């Protein structure tokens, strides 16, 4: 075989992984059908932000350690095949298998004994066994002795790939007698601990890693709404819950979204023995943009013709990733109120206004993403100087340190610790 490893899908999960394999001396081929992204990597340009990736991409390109293709079939030229395709869900709570199944159909006639196939994307329980059964049904392979199939879930945080690929334990759920050993051997190149388990337990561990965070963040968001209802301060209540209390641990509120957290709960909900609980968690998060809009209306009256500055489009601080960000929902809701919306984000690829343009003469300012550029007294002072004197500031992240979800720009500065 010409390559050691092939990565099918060179997005935010697959591309850093391909670079990391190539950087460790494995002959690597990346498969990507997005022409713009493919052109970028072939020119040694990163198509999105990932700290450390531009240097690695240039290094492996100069060394001739990585190749690129738009054809899934070319992945069969490698001994190990890793699938990192997107795994969406249908609107009626069902995993969308079309991309994975399409890749399998392209590979089926080309697979041969010795190949390993690893599912790296988040998948619904039972998907790894489905893939193994699909290969056995259509090609007759004995999975675990002839061809090796495993789930090795991606659990790395956005913007931390090169730090966490070498430190986080790598879970490997293999089908049959030797799949875990073979796929574990591939990922051992990064030096992180390998934890072998069953496919179903690997799938559940990944899904529930994200569900845990989704649920944890729903509680402070629900509390934030209740505090508004009763005229209480959510940040003070959370401090009372947590301060010097061994069973505290309440998180802080904010816009909780992103492509993983917003969809991965559906992979459990699809066949849940207790349906509805996780849907309720989702509804809490999905209600936060409307909560902010209604909070502005209570303080300003009608938003028609009012200028509202939205700071942040990315779903997470200091990244350029807008996928499934609730900021977009906030903008749409504001536009339905006939507000004049000005958006600023210093990280995303979507063109936005400058910070100065966005806040100038604003009637309201919403911190939708807690980028480091939006934190602290100086930013709040700039808003107070440029926005209308009675402008309302919505800061569910407490980015300014004033500990007020809603407040007037002219008054909040006095609440920020010096």
């Amino acid at each position: 075989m010409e390559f050691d490893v092939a990565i099918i899908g060179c997005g935010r999960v697959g591309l850093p992984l391909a670079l990391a394999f190539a950087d460790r001396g494995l002959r690597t081929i990346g498969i990507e059908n997005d022409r713009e992204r493919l052109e970028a990597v072939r020119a040694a340009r990163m198509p999105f932000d990932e700290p450390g990736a531009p240097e690695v991409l240039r290094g492996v390109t100069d060394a001739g350690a990585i190749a690129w293709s738009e054809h899934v079939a070319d992945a069969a030229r490698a001994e190990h095949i890793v699938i990192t395709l997107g795994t969406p869900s249908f609107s009626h709570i069902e995993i969308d298998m079309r991309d994975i199944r399409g890749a399998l159909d392209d590979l089926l006639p080309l697979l041969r004994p010795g190949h390993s196939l690893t599912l790296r994307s988040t998948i619904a329980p039972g998907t790894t066994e489905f893939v193994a059964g699909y290969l056995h049904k259509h090609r007759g392979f004995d999975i675990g002795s002839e061809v090796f199939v495993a789930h090795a879930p991606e659990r790395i945080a956005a913007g931390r790939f090169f730090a966490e690929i070498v430190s986080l334990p790598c879970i490997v759920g293999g089908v049959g007698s030797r799949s875990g050993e073979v796929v574990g051997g591939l990922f051992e190149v990064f030096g992180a601990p390998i934890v072998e388990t069953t496919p179903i337990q690997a799938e559940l561990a990944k899904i529930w890693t994200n569900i845990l965070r989704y649920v944890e963040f729903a509680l402070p968001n629900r509390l934030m709404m209740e505090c508004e209802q009763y005229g209480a301060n959510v940040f003070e209540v959370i401090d009372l819950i947590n301060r010097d209390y061994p069973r505290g641990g309440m998180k802080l509120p904010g816009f909780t979204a992103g492509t993983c957290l917003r969809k991965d709960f559906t992979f459990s909900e699809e066949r849940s023995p207790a349906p509805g609980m996780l849907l309720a968690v989702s509804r809490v998060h999905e209600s936060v943009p409307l909560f902010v809009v209604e909070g502005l209306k209570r303080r300003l009256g009608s938003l028609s013709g009012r200028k509202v500055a939205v700071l942040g489009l990315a779903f997470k601080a200091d990244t350029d990733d807008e996928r499934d960000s609730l900021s977009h929902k906030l903008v749409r809701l504001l536009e339905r109120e006939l507000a004049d919306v000005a958006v600023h984000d210093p990280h995303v690829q979507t063109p936005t206004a400058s910070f100065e343009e966005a806040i100038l003469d604003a009637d309201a300012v919403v911190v939708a993403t807690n980028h480091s550029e939006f934190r602290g007294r100086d930013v709040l002072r700039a808003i107070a100087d440029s926005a209308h004197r009675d402008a309302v500031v919505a800061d569910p992240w407490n980015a300014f340190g004033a500990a007020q979800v809603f407040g007037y720009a002219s008054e909040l500065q006095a609440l920020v610790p010096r």
Side-chain angles (χ1 to χ4, degrees):
M1 298 180 185
E2 301 172 53
F3 297 98
D4 298 309
V5 61
I7 309 298
I8 301 177
C10 292
R12 292 178 183 267
V13 172
L15 179 53
L17 183 62
L19 299 180
F21 276 128
D23 193 43
R24 280 157 181 78
L26 275 68
R27 297 167 300 167
T28 305
I29 181 169
I31 311 297
E32 176 56 56
N33 64 5
D34 184 302
R35 289 188 176 276
E36 188 173 337
R37 185 175 296 163
L38 200 58
E39 289 174 5
V41 294
R42 280 173 168 161
R45 283 187 292 105
M46 279 297 294
F48 51 81
D49 285 343
E50 180 63 50
E55 296 81 4
V56 177
L57 176 56
R58 287 194 294 270
V60 298
T61 300
D62 292 344
I66 195 164
W68 308 100
S69 173
E70 62 269 35
H71 303 296
V72 171
D74 285 338
R77 296 159 60 189
E79 178 182 358
H80 300 283
I81 301 168
V82 181
I83 296 179
T84 60
L85 297 171
T87 51
S89 63
F90 292 114
S91 59
H92 41 282
I93 313 300
E94 176 192 0
I95 183 174
D96 184 349
M97 290 280 292
R98 286 175 294 183
D99 287 348
I100 290 177
R101 191 164 177 170
L104 294 177
D105 288 338
D106 286 343
L107 292 170
L108 267 176
L110 302 169
L111 292 177
R112 52 194 181 276
H115 266 128
S116 82
L117 197 154
T118 303
L119 297 169
R120 186 74 168 165
S121 308
T122 308
I123 49 179
T127 304
T128 310
E129 291 284 2
F130 163 80
V131 169
Y134 198 78
L135 300 185
H136 176 73
K137 176 181 178 179
H138 293 284
R139 288 292 310 275
F141 290 124
D142 183 64
I143 307 300
S145 63
E146 290 184 291
V147 168
F148 310 100
V149 175
H151 181 40
E154 167 72 78
R155 298 192 299 157
I156 294 170
R160 294 189 52 81
F161 180 88
F162 290 98
E164 295 189 348
I165 190 67
V166 297
S167 59
L168 290 184
C170 178
I171 297 172
V172 178
V175 179
S177 59
R178 293 191 56 235
S179 291
E181 172 192 341
V182 171
V183 172
L186 169 66
F187 282 87
E188 277 180 350
V189 70
F190 299 120
I194 305 295
V195 183
E196 287 193 42
T197 186
T198 64
I200 193 70
Q201 291 186 165
E203 292 161 345
L204 289 171
K206 166 55 181 175
I207 294 167
W208 281 86
T209 294
N210 286 343
I211 290 174
L212 175 62
R213 292 171 61 78
Y214 206 46
V215 172
E216 283 182 331
F217 295 146
L219 297 178
N221 279 340
R222 176 66 180 80
L223 176 59
M224 175 174 64
M225 298 175 198
E226 192 160 340
C227 285
E228 172 80 354
Q229 178 183 353
Y230 291 112
N233 186 309
V234 65
F235 300 109
E236 293 182 10
V237 174
I238 290 175
D239 180 66
L240 293 171
I241 292 169
N242 292 340
R243 186 187 297 183
D244 299 327
Y245 188 64
R247 288 170 294 282
M250 178 75 80
K251 307 295 185 183
L252 294 174
F255 281 40
T256 301
T259 186
C260 292
L261 297 189
R262 278 187 88 194
K263 72 174 176 63
D264 286 3
F265 80 90
T266 66
F267 294 166
S268 174
E269 197 73 10
E270 181 183 32
R271 301 182 182 183
S272 174
M277 172 189 165
L278 298 179
L279 288 174
V281 168
S282 175
R283 290 306 308 148
V284 171
H285 292 305
E286 292 293 322
S287 297
V288 173
L290 181 60
F291 163 78
V292 170
V293 171
E294 294 298 324
L296 295 180
K297 290 170 65 178
R298 277 190 289 273
R299 290 160 175 84
L300 291 172
S302 172
L303 298 182
S304 179
R306 299 272 202 161
K307 181 178 180 181
V308 181
V310 174
L311 303 183
L313 280 181
F315 83 86
K316 183 178 178 180
D318 300 334
T319 76
D320 66 341
D321 195 345
E322 301 176 58
R323 294 175 300 167
D324 282 334
S325 171
L326 287 176
S327 298
H328 291 284
K329 185 173 186 177
L330 172 66
V331 169
R332 292 192 296 270
L333 289 173
L334 288 168
E335 290 174 342
R336 285 167 61 181
E337 297 292 333
L338 300 178
D340 298 325
V341 183
V343 180
H344 168 67
D345 191 309
H347 293 276
V348 300
Q349 297 180 16
T350 298
T352 64
S354 69
F355 175 70
E356 292 76 15
E357 291 171 334
I359 65 172
L360 182 63
D361 295 330
D363 296 291
V365 178
V366 180
V367 182
T369 311
N370 57 334
H371 288 315
S372 56
E373 290 88 347
F374 302 153
R375 299 174 198 163
R377 171 181 288 273
D378 291 343
V379 181
L380 184 57
R381 182 184 298 114
I383 292 171
D385 290 344
S386 295
H388 286 163
R389 179 169 179 77
D390 60 348
V392 174
V393 174
D395 181 16
W397 298 100
N398 195 24
F400 302 135
Q404 299 285 328
V405 175
F406 296 101
Y408 294 95
S410 56
E411 300 172 357
L412 288 177
Q413 295 180 86
L415 300 176
V416 178
R418 292 185 179 275

